[in-house]
């Protein structure tokens, strides 16, 4: 299994999406990565088996630990994030849980933001405190407040940018610097941005993670998680995952690998369409507010411009008239699935009131700045003109 290319310096993301991690000839000349469903790997003699088991020789033993198809996916993602190492998980949440439970011990402190992904937020509010981890969640857009909490000392700084569902932007470079001054490890959830639009490791983060279920796979047909970063930290995560068993399976790894080959193509198109849609929505009389860091009017625009090369395929907007109008609007759309999740080739829309923040009360949503009439929209790769005509039609149904 020879790697076609080893030096990825100065190679662009589109080329990496296709070629990185791929081996030249896998099995009898196969050009595509085979799906190795085998749970276990056999050896002709005990000596070789032993050498592989103790890590003296490369190879696979048992698929809960490592698997050839999964390894290609990890290598591709490692190269796309320009990281030293990468390890994968069965879902994005498995990656996040493993990261937090590997890095934090009882009595230690983690600083994060109020707007983190719903599942992550549950870990912070429900599970980590049971293990006596001190959790401090800050106002997402108040960089001074976050910095002040970091300065009090913490083991982990956990960030996400842009956030779900109101696309708030966090100054990654500034907060990484503050965290390193107190010796903290910085973890960034890069799911919304993808490595096409944002490179947290270059901005100072120690670990970057993704729900590969979203843009990385891109087709809403496979789940997975990936964490990339310093080898010393990835080794620790891998060690815990080998034992708790939140392993990515070979078939999902194959689907994600196939999806990621078009990552750059998709994301660039989604960036363009989302920006066009945001600008279009801003002008519509039925729309109350548009949330998208690509808009010059957006409070996160200046920081986003500094740390992102594109603003992503997710936007949100609120309708005048609240939730009743949301129902009418969503039922009138032709080219969108009314569904949770994001980052797929097909447009996905949903109200946070019934998706990500269904368990929050109206008051809690208000505190997080989530209007009752908010719609999150993850634009697909359809033609922007068709999507806009569809949205215009559905807005007209509100009058
Ligand atoms: C979906 C999502 C996750 C969780 O990923 P799963 O694959 O659903 O477990 C984590 N972070 C963000 C930002 C997400 O959008």
């Amino acid at each position: 299994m020879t790697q076609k290319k080893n030096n990825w310096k100065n190679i662009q993301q589109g080329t990496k999406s296709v070629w990185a991690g791929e081996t030249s000839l896998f099995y009898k000349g196969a050009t595509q990565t085979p799906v190795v469903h085998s749970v276990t790997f056999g050896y002709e003699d005990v000596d070789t088996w032993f050498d592989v088991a103790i890590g003296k020789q490369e190879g696979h033993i048992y698929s809960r630990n490592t698997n050839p198809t999964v390894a290609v996916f990890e290598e591709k993602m490692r190269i796309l994030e320009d990281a030293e190492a990468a390890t994968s998980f069965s879902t994005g949440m498995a990656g996040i849980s493993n990261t937090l439970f590997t890095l934090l011990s009882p009595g230690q402190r983690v600083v994060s933001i109020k707007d983190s992904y719903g599942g992550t937020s549950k870990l912070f509010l429900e599970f980590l405190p049971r293990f006596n981890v001190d959790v401090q969640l800050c106002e997402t857009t108040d960089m001074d407040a976050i910095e002040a909490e970091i300065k009090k000392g913490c083991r982990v700084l956990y960030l996400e940018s842009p956030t779900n569902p109101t696309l708030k932007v966090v100054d990654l470079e500034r907060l990484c610097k503050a965290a390193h001054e107190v010796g903290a490890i910085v973890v960034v959830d890069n799911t919304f941005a993808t490595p096409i639009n944002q490179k947290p490791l270059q901005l100072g983060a120690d670990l970057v993670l993704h729900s590969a279920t979203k843009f990385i796979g891109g087709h809403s047909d496979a789940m997975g998680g990936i964490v990339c970063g310093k080898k010393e930290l990835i080794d620790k995560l891998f060690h815990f995952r080998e034992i708790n068993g939140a392993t990515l399976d070979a078939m999902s790894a194959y689907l994600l690998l196939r999806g990621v080959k078009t990552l750059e193509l998709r994301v660039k198109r989604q960036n363009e369409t989302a920006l066009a849609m945001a600008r279009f929505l801003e002008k519509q009389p039925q729309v109350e507010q548009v949330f998208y860091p690509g808009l010059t009017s957006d409070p996160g625009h200046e920081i986003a411009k500094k740390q992102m090369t594109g603003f992503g395929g997710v936007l949100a907007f609120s309708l005048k008239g609240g939730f009743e109008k949301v129902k009418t609007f969503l039922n009138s759309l032709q080219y969108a699935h009314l569904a949770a999740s994001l980052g797929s080739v097909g447009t996905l829309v949903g109200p946070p009131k019934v998706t990500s923040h269904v368990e929050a009360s109206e008051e809690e949503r208000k505190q997080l700045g989530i209007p009752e009439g908010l719609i999150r929209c993850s634009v697909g790769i359809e033609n922007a003109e068709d999507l806009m005509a569809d949205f215009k039609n559905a807005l007209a149904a509100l009058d």
Side-chain angles (χ1 to χ4, degrees):
M1 293 197 297
T2 47
Q3 172 99 36
K4 256 198 134 89
K5 182 172 173 59
N6 286 311
N7 182 5
W8 293 95
K9 226 176 140 189
N10 303 323
I11 304 299
Q12 296 191 49
Q13 296 292 71
T15 310
K16 285 185 192 169
S17 300
V18 178
W19 289 108
E22 305 279 328
T23 47
S24 55
L25 296 174
F26 231 111
Y27 171 75
K28 297 199 171 171
T31 59
Q32 300 307 310
T33 306
V35 187
V36 182
H37 282 298
S38 191
V39 162
T40 191
F41 298 86
Y43 288 90
E44 305 225 353
D45 61 84
V46 175
D47 287 341
T48 318
W49 186 7
F50 183 68
D51 282 352
V52 172
I54 61 169
K56 222 169 118 186
Q57 228 191 90
E58 284 210 4
H60 303 280
I61 301 270
Y62 188 61
S63 282
R64 168 154 45 76
N65 309 343
T66 67
N67 168 283
T69 313
V70 173
V72 175
F73 173 65
E74 290 170 336
E75 181 64 358
K76 194 186 278 296
M77 289 309 300
R78 179 190 76 77
I79 294 166
L80 277 165
E81 286 288 7
D82 284 313
E84 279 175 26
T87 191
S88 61
F89 297 88
S90 52
T91 64
M93 277 316 300
I96 295 166
S97 313
N98 273 260
T99 301
L100 292 169
F101 280 96
T102 299
L103 300 179
L104 290 159
S105 298
Q108 289 182 329
R109 185 161 184 266
V110 53
V111 172
S112 189
I113 52 174
K114 284 189 181 163
D115 286 74
S116 58
Y117 176 75
T120 311
S121 188
K122 279 258 173 271
L123 289 177
F124 286 140
L125 297 172
E126 190 176 334
F127 294 98
L128 286 165
R130 275 175 40 204
F131 296 88
N132 196 23
V133 169
D134 178 11
V135 177
Q136 180 66 47
L137 303 184
C138 309
E139 275 316 316
T140 305
T141 52
D142 190 344
M143 295 309 125
D144 292 337
I146 304 174
E147 206 168 70
E149 287 301 335
I150 294 168
K151 283 192 173 142
K152 290 181 194 165
C154 60
R155 165 77 175 155
V156 173
L157 171 67
Y158 185 96
L159 300 173
E160 200 176 312
S161 185
T163 62
N164 182 36
T166 51
L167 291 301
K168 290 176 188 152
V169 177
V170 173
D171 191 333
L172 297 177
E173 196 169 14
R174 174 174 166 189
L175 298 180
C176 284
K177 204 176 271 171
H180 288 153
E181 277 167 17
V182 298
I185 297 165
V186 185
V187 183
V188 177
D189 182 335
N190 204 28
T191 302
F192 270 49
T194 82
I196 306 305
N197 289 332
Q198 181 169 271
K199 302 286 280 295
L201 298 177
Q202 285 177 4
L203 297 165
D206 301 289
L207 292 171
V208 54
L209 60 84
H210 293 270
S211 165
T213 314
K214 314 292 170 58
F215 287 98
I216 302 296
H219 293 72
S220 283
D221 59 1
M223 303 200 81
I226 185 88
V227 188
C228 310
K230 301 224 165 85
K231 184 167 186 315
E232 176 209 340
L233 295 171
I234 295 293
D235 283 348
K236 284 186 188 158
L237 291 184
F238 170 69
H239 178 60
F240 185 38
R241 196 217 65 203
E242 277 190 295
I243 302 309
N244 71 39
T247 307
L248 181 64
D249 73 283
M251 191 63 219
S252 295
Y254 178 79
L255 290 168
L256 296 173
L257 259 177
R258 173 151 142 155
V260 81
K261 285 187 187 177
T262 54
L263 180 69
E264 195 233 27
L265 268 183
R266 285 186 281 112
V267 170
K268 285 203 164 156
R269 170 119 161 180
Q270 286 161 316
N271 286 343
E272 274 175 28
T273 307
L275 183 59
M277 292 284 276
R279 286 180 178 153
F280 159 78
L281 287 166
E282 236 183 356
K283 291 193 217 105
Q284 305 309 309
Q286 302 89 343
V287 173
E288 185 181 61
Q289 197 182 349
V290 181
F291 302 80
Y292 187 66
L295 292 173
T296 46
S297 58
D298 192 271
H301 183 66
E302 285 310 310
I303 300 172
K305 222 169 59 183
K306 194 178 70 163
Q307 66 192 19
M308 301 178 84
T309 49
F311 303 107
V314 184
L315 63 136
F317 59 100
S318 56
L319 293 175
K320 290 174 190 160
F323 196 57
E324 282 309 309
K325 295 286 185 188
V326 169
K327 284 196 264 185
T328 310
F329 175 81
L330 293 179
N331 291 343
S332 310
L333 289 175
Q334 290 184 65
Y335 305 124
H337 281 126
L338 310 190
S341 200
L342 56 105
S344 186
V345 289
T347 295
L348 286 161
V349 290
K353 185 183 159 85
V354 297
T355 56
S356 60
H357 289 74
V358 67
E359 284 167 37
S361 66
E362 189 166 340
E363 185 51 38
E364 285 169 327
R365 282 193 293 270
K366 202 170 161 193
Q367 276 184 9
L368 283 168
I370 300 172
E372 292 299 287
L374 191 71
I375 296 171
R376 188 185 73 188
C377 172
S378 170
V379 305
I381 60 167
E382 303 91 341
N383 296 95
E385 295 75 13
D386 292 329
L387 285 184
M388 265 185 268
D390 194 21
F391 272 53
K392 199 166 179 95
N393 186 50
L395 286 172
L398 304 180
D399 298 334

